[in-house]
Amino acid sequence: MINVLMFGPPGSGKGTQSVTLAEKYNLLHLSTGDMLRAELAANTDLGRKMAAIMASGELVPDEVVIDMIAHKIDSTTDKAGFIFDGFPRTVQQAEALQTMLEGRKMKIDMMLVLEVGDTELMDRMKKRALVSGRADDADESVINNRIAVYRAKTEPVIEYGRRAGVCHQVDGVGSIDEIFGRLCNHIETII
Ligand code: AMP
């Protein structure tokens, strides 16, 4: 089993790239953002509780996403591994993931960090807002907050990956196919 963390600020292309990488390498794509939006759409208790946090661009509590991920890992049998998209977003989540994987005789094999500058991110997010239907894409102050939360709380996870010797920085600017090729080159060093 291989475990790949797809990293990068909001709008860096993590979701788009994770979907095609998951297909190519038979990995389960685990997006905590998608899972939370599914809770919202199904109007569950959890969805209702998390709605305001998500609308503001802040992070939901660590335990919520850690439980979701543990449940998915334990209910998957037919895949070559996992690609984590938008998780872990804090050092605490990264530590919890590592412990969770170790308990199941796995590890974090690779962290891919998509690098995109802030001006390009804002441009992409505004374009995405026209098609995604996501409330948190539609408001410029929420987008700014999501980028600020990423820099403050999520970027430190990159240092965690560096110390673990699994961090690979990838240029996230270019065509979707070009970026996909760069990511595949990295993944193919571990399969
Ligand atoms: P995303 O689709 O990954 O941009 O996530 C959308 C929103 O869901 C984020 O702005 C957070 O409010 C919440 N969220 C998604 N993943 C996480 C996570 N790993 N930890 C905390 N909050 C998360």
Side-chain angles (χ1 to χ4, degrees):
M1 299 284 268
I2 62 161
N3 293 293
V4 177
L5 309 188
M6 182 58 74
F7 240 76
S12 59
K14 299 186 295 290
T16 306
Q17 297 292 348
S18 296
V19 169
T20 36
L21 289 170
E23 254 171 51
K24 176 163 176 158
Y25 298 108
N26 187 30
L27 306 174
L28 183 70
H29 173 213
L30 293 177
S31 156
T32 43
D34 286 351
M35 290 178 212
L36 287 163
R37 278 185 290 279
E39 297 283 336
L40 240 61
N43 196 24
T44 62
D45 280 353
L46 182 67
R48 281 195 296 275
K49 279 189 201 140
M50 297 305 130
I53 302 177
M54 290 172 70
S56 70
E58 292 296 317
L59 298 181
V60 307
D62 288 336
E63 318 79 73
V64 170
V65 282
I66 291 166
D67 284 354
M68 285 177 157
I69 290 284
H71 180 73
K72 292 281 184 185
I73 290 179
D74 287 336
S75 55
T76 303
T77 50
D78 54 344
K79 293 284 179 184
F82 299 95
I83 184 155
F84 297 88
D85 161 14
F87 177 90
R89 263 203 176 62
T90 62
V91 171
Q92 288 79 357
Q93 290 178 22
E95 286 166 349
L97 177 64
Q98 188 168 358
T99 307
M100 197 189 297
L101 292 175
E102 277 169 8
R104 292 158 177 82
K105 307 253 176 297
M106 295 188 282
K107 61 181 176 13
I108 298 169
D109 295 288
M110 181 167 280
M111 170 191 244
L112 294 166
V113 184
L114 285 171
E115 295 191 302
V116 180
D118 283 359
T119 322
E120 167 96 12
L121 287 178
M122 286 301 290
D123 272 6
R124 288 191 194 178
M125 302 279 277
K126 281 185 202 148
K127 286 191 191 127
R128 188 170 85 179
L130 302 174
V131 292
S132 74
R134 279 176 56 171
D136 62 347
D137 279 347
D139 181 322
E140 195 162 329
S141 69
V142 174
I143 295 177
N144 280 326
N145 192 37
R146 286 161 65 202
I147 296 174
V149 167
Y150 174 80
R151 302 281 179 223
K153 297 193 174 151
T154 306
E155 252 178 9
V157 182
I158 298 176
E159 191 48 42
Y160 180 90
R162 270 200 203 105
R163 279 200 303 274
V166 295
C167 177
H168 296 245
Q169 268 146 315
V170 179
D171 180 1
V173 180
S175 73
I176 291 179
D177 288 349
E178 272 163 1
I179 301 165
F180 183 67
R182 291 175 200 147
L183 294 167
C184 291
N185 288 341
H186 285 284
I187 292 186
E188 281 166 26
T189 63
I190 54 162
I191 54 173

